[in-house]
Amino acid sequence: MLLVAVGLVTGLLMKWAGKDSTAVAGARQLPAPAPVTRPPAPASPFATDDRGFVNSAARCDGSQTASAIGRTAGSLVVICAEPGGSYEYFGVRLSDEASLHTAAQTASPRGFLARNYSVTYAVSPTELLVTAGDRVIKHEPMIEYRELRGQSAGPAPR
């Protein structure tokens, strides 16, 4: 009896699995889903040009041109070249938009130093380092960095 029941169930399963699935007359097919589109990426909130950050105090004046433009999570920095060969530092702290404008100089082939009283601002393709004597006030990795002295550095390495 048990064998008959197992055989019957197996037969029904095989018959059910082997049936063709045919469309029912008059049944409507659902439309294909619309393709997923992504909204365009928003423009950078920190637009730049050859003079620094647009609509910002981190921007070269008059006849100056940007030699380096950098952005960290908390700061915007531009190093400006004067026609006579000297440099100036323009920086903006993003948390309160406080700005600083002071003289700068090259520190290495790809870095700059600026001083404001006893505070030193070291700008490089990898970081903004702010120190007072031996004390580190701020160490911020660069998110973006470009040199405009004949070469472009692109985004900073992480």
Side-chain angles (χ1 to χ4, degrees), residues 82-147:
E82 293 282 348
S86 61
Y87 295 100
E88 292 188 353
Y89 170 100
F90 290 83
V92 174
R93 184 174 52 219
L94 294 173
S95 63
D96 60 1
E97 296 187 19
S99 63
L100 173 65
H101 171 206
T102 191
Q105 63 189 32
T106 58
S108 68
R110 296 190 71 195
F112 297 89
L113 286 178
R115 288 187 179 82
N116 186 39
Y117 298 101
S118 62
V119 178
T120 301
Y121 300 80
V123 178
S124 76
T126 58
E127 67 186 359
L128 169 63
L129 180 63
V130 182
T131 57
D134 291 338
R135 193 182 79 175
V136 174
I137 296 172
K138 183 187 304 189
H139 177 242
E140 297 180 351
M142 284 292 174
I143 295 171
E144 293 180 54
Y145 186 84
R146 286 188 304 139
E147 288 184 7

Side-chain angles (χ1 to χ4, degrees), residues 40-95:
S44 171
F46 303 106
T48 61
D49 61 16
D50 64 344
R51 298 187 61 211
F53 291 92
V54 178
N55 299 321
S56 170
R59 186 164 182 77
C60 299
D61 290 331
S63 62
Q64 298 174 328
T65 57
S67 289
I69 299 172
R71 179 170 70 95
T72 70
S75 304
L76 304 177
V77 176
V78 65
I79 302 295
C80 300
E82 293 282 348
S86 61
Y87 295 100
E88 292 188 353
Y89 170 100
F90 290 83
V92 174
R93 184 174 52 219
L94 294 173
S95 63

Side-chain angles (χ1 to χ4, degrees), residues 27-31:
R28 295 184 347 195
Q29 280 193 312
L30 295 175

